[in-house]
Amino acid sequence: MFKEAAEMLVGEPLFPVETDGSADDKVGRVLVIACGALAREIVAIREKNRLDHLDITCLPAKLHNTPDKIPEEVRRTILKNADTYSDILVAYGDCGTGGLLDRVLEETGTRRIEGAHCYAFFTGIDEFDQMEDDQLGTFYLTDFLARHFQTMVIEPLGLDWHPHLRDMYFAHYTRVLYLAQTDDPALEDAARRAADRLGLPFEMRRTGYGLLKPFLGKGPAD
């Protein structure tokens, strides 16, 4: 399943609608346009809650390295699929787009999950704000980042080739906080190793899927 998600073309649904071209075919069908970092979580919620009316398409998680590209990629995917679905949900926070993603959603009549980023909607908006107030300088991990720490953090920062940069990049961080979506000892171990690699204290909080489940559970009329 996740091999499929990784290999699907950008904008192509993972669970495509079977249609004979009738306008009635799209009634009740919902497309979720998601960051690739949320693919496992969204598929798990879909299957566990039998949300068979949901289709999913993922944009590459590496877009977070160039957040200015996210709004136009989302716009293109919305326009490509608008005639096939009765509703489209966007599983992105603002994600560093400076409000530009929200402008795209306003123009296209779509909506996204609440929050600035996945850390906030996994923990809950108020809870995340409180954590930030309680301790600045937190480096956050999710299940996805724990699983892909090498390719999403170490390699983009060049720490394999220039390990001395670690202290420069993380001089003002005070801890690694792993926000765990699942109870997976292997991922917890990976998160602990990530904290060790950054030379930071490790903490963990189990969040589950946070606001993602109620967001996906909303229908077009909600």
Side-chain angles (χ1 to χ4, degrees), residues 15 33 151 181:
F15 304 99
I33 300 172
T151 56
Q181 284 70 69

Side-chain angles (χ1 to χ4, degrees), residues 135-141 149 153-154 157 159 166-178 190-204:
Q135 186 167 344
L136 296 175
T138 297
F139 186 88
Y140 295 96
L141 292 177
F149 187 74
V153 178
I154 296 298
L157 292 178
L159 295 179
R166 183 195 70 175
D167 294 338
M168 180 186 302
Y169 288 142
F170 296 96
H172 299 293
Y173 284 90
T174 58
R175 64 174 174 172
V176 166
L177 178 56
Y178 171 35
R192 290 182 181 276
R193 292 197 307 272
D196 287 343
R197 194 159 187 186
L198 298 183
L200 295 170
F202 175 81
E203 296 180 27
M204 178 176 173

